[in-house]
Amino acid sequence: MRAVQKWAEGTEGMGLVDAPEPVVGPDDLLIEVGAVGICGSDIHLWRDEHEHRRPVIIGHEYSGVVIGKGQHVGDAWQVGDRICGDLETMDGRIGIHVNGAYAERMALPARLAHHLPDRLSFAEGAMVELVTCMSHAAMYRTRIHPADFVVITGPGPIGLTMLQICKLYSPRAVMVTGLRDDAVRLQKALDLGADCVWCSEDDPVREVLRLTGGMGADVVFDCSGGEAAITQATRLVRSGGWITVVGLWGHDIKANLDNIPYNNLTIRGTWGWDGMEYPDQAVRMAAGWHSWERALKILDMGKIALEPIITSHIPLEGWRDAFERLDAKQEIKVMIYPNEKYMPR
């Protein structure tokens, strides 16, 4: 079957291959991949900036259809069911340590699968993980209250999803910041409910202080992965305020953190969903199940718009060009369809 595999160091060490069919264990589902999203961490992995195990078929944001199942899988799953799914297996993460979804078919432990509601498209199903991660970041890793002034640095898919999660908390305002070459993404933030946007090069600290009467933001979510953003975040937030770091850099950075002690700031990292704070994979999976189900309920409320974030739908063969376009900020979110019959027309 066709798949995109990372087999060696360097960007040329990843490409389209003819891969063996997945081995379906007794507790597994065989999934025909409906859609798989390109995540920023996939691009980091392409450049060897993200730990991984080689060779591996990449892709961890996915949805699909059950086309087979192992002998121990019960009646909760039937051939033809639509799924989205977790990426935490007992052997490592799907698309990072074990074979993932940039392929026509994949094997998936049944305990990681969630029923994809009929009202959600395959593309939206492939983005449930974003909602799971961002809702966990807001609910469990951040102190956020109604009437807070919130700043989100970075208007990529993560920041645009976080924006919509934050709006559920009834903040008095949400500002999204980005670079000047993020103009398309910043406009998308306005379309999705941001109260204002600002270019990082144009001193958002001064603007936030103006808008808050000199106090600063109550909460900052750093979704940028930009080196200057973390220092800027410590200047955007008020004394006693809260910063939650969501974005990844992929390399060492330099930052001025003096404001953390000076202003009694709280800084927390967030990764994944409930249970990810524990090293035991089994605990992660048990707790993570509920985070995924909550994310599906949030989506079922109709208050999170995922389709507007998607800027391209492409076949599997177009993956490299899409990576380069995303790297150049010519796209926001790209969906890959290893089985083109599922691609929107």
Side-chain angles (χ1 to χ4, degrees):
M1 66 174 181
R2 295 172 310 128
V4 173
Q5 184 187 74
K6 176 72 170 176
W7 67 79
E9 289 186 5
T11 56
E12 295 306 313
M14 192 165 93
L16 196 64
V17 300
D18 182 12
E21 289 291 330
V23 177
V24 181
D27 299 305
D28 293 347
L29 300 173
L30 179 61
I31 304 300
E32 185 172 68
V33 178
V36 54
I38 299 177
C39 177
S41 62
D42 293 338
I43 297 176
H44 281 302
L45 192 154
W46 178 48
R47 293 177 177 151
D48 306 303
E49 296 171 345
H50 191 296
E51 57 90 19
H52 59 281
R53 186 183 301 153
R54 296 193 294 262
V56 66
I57 296 169
I58 72 166
H60 60 269
E61 298 179 357
Y62 62 91
S63 62
V65 177
V66 177
I67 58 173
K69 61 182 187 176
Q71 59 186 5
H72 294 167
V73 178
D75 293 338
W77 290 104
Q78 301 296 328
V79 170
D81 286 349
R82 302 164 76 244
I83 69 103
C84 61
D86 199 337
L87 60 139
E88 287 288 333
T89 78
M90 295 300 289
D91 298 315
R93 295 186 182 120
I94 289 172
I96 298 167
H97 308 112
V98 300
N99 285 335
Y102 280 51
E104 294 177 272
R105 289 166 291 281
M106 64 182 293
L108 177 70
R111 63 181 172 269
L112 301 186
H114 296 263
H115 287 276
L116 182 63
D118 290 339
R119 69 180 298 273
L120 297 181
S121 67
F122 284 115
E124 290 170 308
M127 295 177 71
V128 173
E129 193 231 353
L130 271 177
V131 180
T132 305
C133 293
M134 295 309 103
S135 58
H136 170 68
M139 290 187 292
Y140 297 108
R141 303 298 296 165
T142 306
R143 185 189 64 203
I144 181 171
H145 301 298
D148 276 351
F149 190 103
V150 179
V151 176
I152 297 170
T153 64
I158 289 174
L160 294 174
T161 304
M162 181 58 79
L163 159 66
Q164 297 180 78
I165 293 291
C166 286
K167 297 293 282 189
L168 299 178
Y169 286 83
S170 300
R172 75 177 184 273
V174 179
M175 172 190 280
V176 178
T177 70
L179 300 172
R180 289 198 183 102
D181 62 4
D182 284 319
V184 172
R185 297 178 176 202
L186 290 172
Q187 180 58 52
K188 185 65 69 175
L190 290 171
D191 295 343
L192 291 173
D195 297 281
C196 55
V197 298
W198 205 260
C199 289
S200 298
E201 298 96 332
D202 296 334
D203 194 5
V205 176
R206 182 175 60 183
E207 180 65 6
V208 168
L209 291 174
R210 185 186 73 81
L211 292 171
T212 60
M215 292 292 293
D218 298 286
V219 180
V220 176
F221 289 97
D222 176 23
C223 301
S224 69
E227 181 163 336
I230 193 67
T231 299
Q232 195 170 76
T234 67
R235 295 169 178 163
L236 286 165
V237 73
R238 66 172 174 80
S239 179
W242 195 287
I243 299 169
T244 301
V245 180
V246 184
L248 299 175
W249 296 278
H251 53 80
D252 293 343
I253 65 167
K254 291 183 178 179
N256 184 336
L257 303 181
D258 284 348
N259 278 351
I260 297 174
Y262 284 156
N263 292 331
N264 293 291
L265 305 182
T266 298
I267 297 186
R268 271 190 170 184
T270 183
W271 178 260
W273 41 92
D274 196 21
M276 294 293 283
E277 292 83 1
Y278 299 93
D280 187 323
Q281 288 291 82
V283 173
R284 291 183 186 185
M285 288 188 294
W289 169 266
H290 301 289
S291 294
W292 280 77
E293 289 294 302
R294 182 184 290 272
L296 285 164
K297 289 175 183 175
I298 291 171
L299 285 168
D300 205 38
M301 292 167 61
K303 294 189 176 182
I304 305 292
L306 297 177
E307 292 280 4
I309 298 174
I310 302 167
T311 47
S312 288
H313 301 266
I314 66 167
L316 187 63
E317 290 80 3
W319 75 270
R320 187 181 294 271
D321 179 60
F323 273 40
E324 292 171 351
R325 292 201 312 274
L326 283 162
D327 206 28
K329 297 186 178 181
Q330 296 169 353
E331 304 273 5
I332 300 176
K333 189 70 176 181
V334 176
M335 278 294 149
I336 293 177
Y337 298 84
N339 297 283
E340 292 185 38
K341 65 184 180 181
Y342 297 117
M343 191 160 68
R345 302 298 178 188

